[in-house]
């Protein structure tokens, strides 16, 4: 146990320092737990234990997918671009060369062939909102929705 100048104590585990949460408001407690969990995940990525490191890398990959989904639903094309770039490695390793080629072509078009004005226009119009107050969808998902609607007719 480590004594802080403010009189609070910290309990030290093998991996992460976790504060005594009793002295904090609920919102602060959640923030402290989240940052402690993030620190724990970073330490696992540097672990010499192969299974722990694999779990941490897989967990990081799942978190980035969840973030990508949430970003797409909000219409946040910048986050989607950044995450798609990070996923190039996963696609390459798993042999999904079509996704690698599509992503690289998209990056070339966005960053080399478009002006700053055109790039901003593309980013602002990357997603479609079907109903006010609802999530946004990508253009290819909208095409699939329209195909389903036309099959039902």
């Amino acid at each position: 146990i480590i004594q802080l100048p403010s009189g609070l104590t910290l309990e030290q585990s093998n991996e992460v320092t976790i504060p005594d949460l009793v002295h904090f408001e609920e919102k602060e407690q959640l923030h402290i737990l989240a940052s402690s969990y993030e620190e724990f995940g970073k330490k696992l990525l540097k672990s010499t234990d192969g299974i722990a490191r694999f779990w941490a890398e897989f967990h990081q990959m799942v978190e980035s997918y969840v973030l990508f989904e949430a970003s797409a639903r909000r219409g946040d094309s910048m986050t989607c671009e950044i995450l798609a770039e990070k996923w190039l490695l996963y696609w390459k390793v798993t042999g999904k060369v079509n996704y690698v080629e599509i992503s690289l072509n998209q990056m070339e078009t966005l960053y080399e062939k478009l002006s700053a004005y055109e790039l901003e226009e593309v980013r602002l119009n990357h997603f479609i909102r079907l109903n006010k107050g609802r999530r946004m969808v990508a253009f290819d998902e909208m095409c699939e929705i329209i195909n389903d609607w036309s099959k039902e007719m």
Side-chain angles (χ1 to χ4, degrees):
I1 296 179
I2 301 169
Q3 187 72 28
L4 296 175
S6 63
L8 300 177
T9 59
L10 294 178
E11 296 177 23
Q12 183 127 15
S13 71
N14 290 339
E15 293 286 332
V16 179
T17 303
I18 303 171
D20 182 5
L21 299 176
V22 177
H23 304 287
F24 297 97
E25 296 290 325
E26 186 175 321
K27 198 173 191 178
E28 292 171 319
Q29 290 175 357
L30 291 174
H31 177 70
I32 290 167
L33 285 174
S35 59
S36 297
Y37 184 74
E38 194 173 310
E39 182 183 342
F40 176 71
K42 287 178 183 176
K43 289 189 178 191
L44 278 182
L45 284 169
K46 297 176 184 175
S47 173
T48 56
D49 181 8
I51 294 172
R53 198 172 54 252
F54 173 80
W55 178 87
E57 289 173 2
F58 178 75
H59 189 265
Q60 189 178 44
M61 185 173 63
V62 169
E63 280 185 332
S64 73
Y65 173 76
V66 170
L67 179 59
F68 185 88
E69 281 284 306
S71 299
R73 289 171 186 251
R74 286 189 315 267
D76 181 3
S77 60
M78 287 293 297
T79 302
C80 292
E81 283 178 37
I82 292 166
L83 292 172
E85 180 184 338
K86 290 181 179 181
W87 275 73
L88 276 172
L89 172 66
Y90 302 131
W91 291 327
K92 182 72 172 173
V93 169
T94 57
K96 303 287 186 184
V97 291
N98 291 345
Y99 292 125
V100 173
E101 193 65 32
I102 289 168
S103 292
L104 291 175
N105 285 337
Q106 181 183 19
M107 286 178 199
E108 183 180 344
T109 301
L110 290 176
Y111 304 128
E112 289 182 14
K113 296 181 180 176
L114 296 180
S115 68
Y117 172 80
E118 292 168 324
L119 178 59
E120 185 65 20
E121 181 104 4
V122 167
R123 287 178 176 156
L124 290 174
N125 295 301
H126 196 78
F127 298 99
I128 300 169
R129 186 175 308 281
L130 295 177
N131 298 313
K132 187 176 180 180
R134 298 291 186 134
R135 71 180 181 97
M136 299 183 91
V137 296
F139 279 102
D140 59 339
E141 187 176 349
M142 187 64 212
C143 290
E144 291 176 21
I145 291 170
I146 291 172
N147 286 339
D148 290 341
W149 286 344
S150 48
K151 286 178 187 176
E152 290 176 5
M153 296 177 128

